[in-house]
Amino acid sequence: MTFPLFEYGAFGDTTALAVAVVIGVAFGWALERAGLGFAPKLAGQFLLTDFTVFKVLFTAVVTAMLGVFWLGRLGVLDLARVYVPETFIVPQLVGGVIFGIGFFVVGLCPGTACVAAASGRLDGLVAVAGMFAGVLLAGLLFDGLAGVYARTPWGSVTLAQWLDVPYGVVVAAVVVIALVGFAGLERWERRV
Amino acid sequence: MARRPPASYANPYVAGVALGLVLLSAFLVMGRGLGASGAFATSAAGVVSTIAPEQAAASGLFAKYLDDDGPWVDWLLFELTGVVIGGFLSAWFAGRWVWRVQGGRSLPAARRLSWAAGGGALMGLGAVLARGCTSGQALTGGALLSVGSWVFMIAAFAGGYLAMPVLRRLWR
Amino acid sequence: MKWPQVLAAVALTGGLLAPFAGSPYRAAHAALDVSAVAEAVAAERDHVTAIELAEWIRSRTPGLRILDVGEGEYLLPGAEHVPIASLPAVAHTLRPIDRIVVYSSGGAHGAQAWVLMRALGFTDVYSLQGGVDAWLSEVMSPSISPTATRDERQAFEPVAELSRYFGGQPVVADPAPGGTAAGRLPGPPPTTASRIAAIRRRGC
């Protein structure tokens, strides 16, 4: 049996949509359990009072990254068939900063805003509406964005390919950086 | 509305591993990762195409979502529906479901809602430019070592830290 | 605080071993099920004849992908040129549920490409027996002997029709000595006049 199952014809498009819901339920559950549906907690990351966002995000990235690397190496996962989001340096840099500003102001991102709304938080619901409005406007005024939007398309490229180093080297570097970050935060939090 | 004393949140590292395993299972089962903002884009495309089809087709952003089976048959849209369900179930069973406005303690509710709307719009714009948000880019692209995703991740954190000294009163 | 330490230790181990493990991509470490492959070759499930391939193309078999892994001088209908050296890199753009046919001018590289594709995990893959040469002599200009029986002529009709579908031209001629024109591209298709002249020469 080779993974990804969908790429190897294990099931069709309709089942894929059912799979989407199931995965989404697990995703939403995990986010809420971590407290990421609670806006003040996420804002705390930038207020330097609560580093849950950093800990959860980078633990998740390291977990999935190690899983992908080792299952790929063992031949269980056909890594070439996993879609790597494409790189557009300038729009992702500019969009990232704009997103980050909004992220601090709201204390929620698109996914966690849905979790907050689902937890009864009216501000989460309003945030979702605001995000929808933002995307809607961006779409209607898209020609105005075209100057930034289409710049520097690099295609699907990994840090390993870009730096021309073995994939495993980047994996090791990310793990070390994450663990050093976690250790540093733990010490910082204890000094209070 | 909360039924029992709210349970405490999970250990962030344990929660992170759980989240990472959910992401990994998406890679293994579907060959793709998670996301959220894409569902917003496809919904917006769907709404516009219902009200003003020529506008939708003319938009470089919306047009992409109007082919294949249309904007409403979209993997991310179904996934985000699941997120709502999962978030609700977790909050409910943890005793954390409560109808309220959750903002800075000294920020009046109306202000909180205005800022949430405006900040949300900013995030919508940012996510369109970046082709994703924290779920699709930072989390998914980060785990797959995509260069642009790491750029987005660093830029988003930078944006938040730049905004903090200016707007920290929102959270007092 | 026990769990986080355990997780950190696992992560550190997994991370620090990674640089020594090689590439996580399949193409770099493809493994071959030797028994299954040997069995497929013995049972002749590894190749397809030119006529069979022509039928697949004409009936628009879903997911059919035809790859020229040789020089690419003569592309079969719908074929793409993928030099054998770049096959591992291109393979991940092919879906595992596709039906893939690989070929070269004679058939040797095609057969080797078949083994590579099996190693890369494709199961519905075949090499074209006889390569381009077989395509040209069996599909583009299939021949029927002037001394063929009525039954043989009837059996030949669908082959002739298939040939005409692809713009080929059936010929009335004895096959060249030693079987099909392996390793030699045939000359221009015979004209009506020359065919009739050949029949006159040989008698009815």
Side-chain angles (χ1 to χ4, degrees), chain C residues 124-135:
Chain C
D124 200 9
V125 58
Y126 309 88
S127 69
L128 174 59
Q129 188 179 44
V132 175
D133 296 330
W135 175 268

Side-chain angles (χ1 to χ4, degrees), chain C residues 166-191:
Chain C
F166 288 101
Q169 191 149 44
V171 294
V172 179
D174 283 320
T180 55
R184 173 172 65 82
L185 294 179
T191 61

Side-chain angles (χ1 to χ4, degrees), chain A:
Chain A
M1 162 121 50
T2 323
F3 296 79
L5 296 176
F6 183 64
E7 288 287 313
Y8 279 80
F11 53 88
D13 290 335
T14 317
T15 312
L17 294 176
V19 168
V21 177
V22 172
I23 290 178
V25 170
F27 185 24
W29 178 280
L31 285 175
E32 204 283 335
R33 288 282 135 162
L36 295 180
F38 187 68
K41 189 178 251 299
L42 284 97
Q45 172 71 39
F46 301 101
L47 294 165
L48 303 172
T49 56
D50 186 329
F51 298 103
T52 303
V53 171
F54 183 89
K55 292 176 187 176
V56 175
L57 181 61
F58 280 93
T59 305
V61 165
V62 165
T63 304
M65 176 188 69
L66 284 172
V68 157
F69 179 82
W70 286 108
L71 291 174
R73 178 59 188 87
L74 293 171
V76 172
L77 172 66
D78 190 352
L79 183 50
R81 294 189 185 279
V82 175
Y83 173 68
V84 175
E86 285 147 76
T87 294
F88 298 85
I89 300 284
V90 167
Q92 282 166 333
L93 182 63
V94 172
V97 173
I98 294 174
F99 186 91
I101 295 170
F103 194 17
F104 173 64
V105 165
V106 184
L108 298 165
C109 72
T112 50
C114 287
V115 171
S119 307
R121 306 312 197 268
L122 182 56
D123 52 298
L125 198 58
V126 169
V128 167
M131 289 167 198
F132 184 84
V135 170
L136 187 65
L137 277 170
L140 292 172
L141 303 171
F142 192 67
D143 291 331
L145 293 174
V148 181
Y149 187 84
R151 285 172 78 154
T152 53
W154 287 14
S156 290
V157 54
T158 66
L159 292 167
Q161 289 161 337
W162 179 55
L163 298 168
D164 199 16
V165 298
Y167 202 106
V169 168
V170 181
V171 168
V174 170
V175 169
V176 168
I177 291 170
L179 291 178
V180 165
F182 296 150
L185 285 176
E186 293 298 319
R187 290 185 72 192
W188 169 270
E189 283 171 326
R190 257 190 285 269
R191 111 238 177 269
V192 173

Side-chain angles (χ1 to χ4, degrees), chain B residues 127-152:
Chain B
V128 165
L129 285 173
R131 280 73 165 177
C133 60
T134 37
S135 313
Q137 288 293 340
L139 195 56
T140 301
L144 293 173
L145 305 180
S146 158
V147 175
S149 302
W150 281 84
V151 167
F152 171 82

Side-chain angles (χ1 to χ4, degrees), chain B:
Chain B
M1 263 267 188
R3 285 160 161 237
R4 58 184 85 100
S8 54
Y9 295 121
N11 176 289
Y13 301 111
V14 173
V17 170
L19 192 56
L21 291 176
V22 172
L23 178 57
L24 184 60
S25 73
F27 292 146
L28 291 173
V29 175
M30 293 300 309
R32 61 161 302 159
L34 305 170
S37 65
F40 285 80
T42 203
S43 308
V47 167
V48 175
S49 79
T50 312
I51 298 173
E54 341 74 48
Q55 281 274 58
S59 161
L61 180 67
F62 298 142
K64 300 189 285 195
Y65 296 98
L66 300 176
D67 59 359
D68 298 320
D69 296 317
W72 302 112
V73 180
D74 179 277
W75 197 88
L76 272 182
L77 191 55
F78 278 69
E79 183 245 44
L80 198 61
T81 308
V83 169
V84 170
I85 296 170
F88 166 75
L89 290 173
S90 175
W92 185 265
F93 288 117
R96 287 193 285 260
W97 200 101
V98 50
W99 177 254
R100 66 140 62 112
V101 173
Q102 194 91 57
R105 256 187 280 260
S106 44
L107 191 71
R111 294 284 208 88
R112 167 66 179 149
L113 294 179
S114 318
W115 282 100
L122 272 182
M123 280 193 274
L125 172 64
V128 165
L129 285 173
R131 280 73 165 177
C133 60
T134 37
S135 313
Q137 288 293 340
L139 195 56
T140 301
L144 293 173
L145 305 180
S146 158
V147 175
S149 302
W150 281 84
V151 167
F152 171 82
M153 203 195 301
I154 294 168
F157 272 94
Y161 283 114
L162 286 172
M164 185 273 280
V166 180
L167 294 167
R168 66 192 314 171
R169 60 188 169 84
L170 291 175
W171 294 103
R172 231 192 296 273

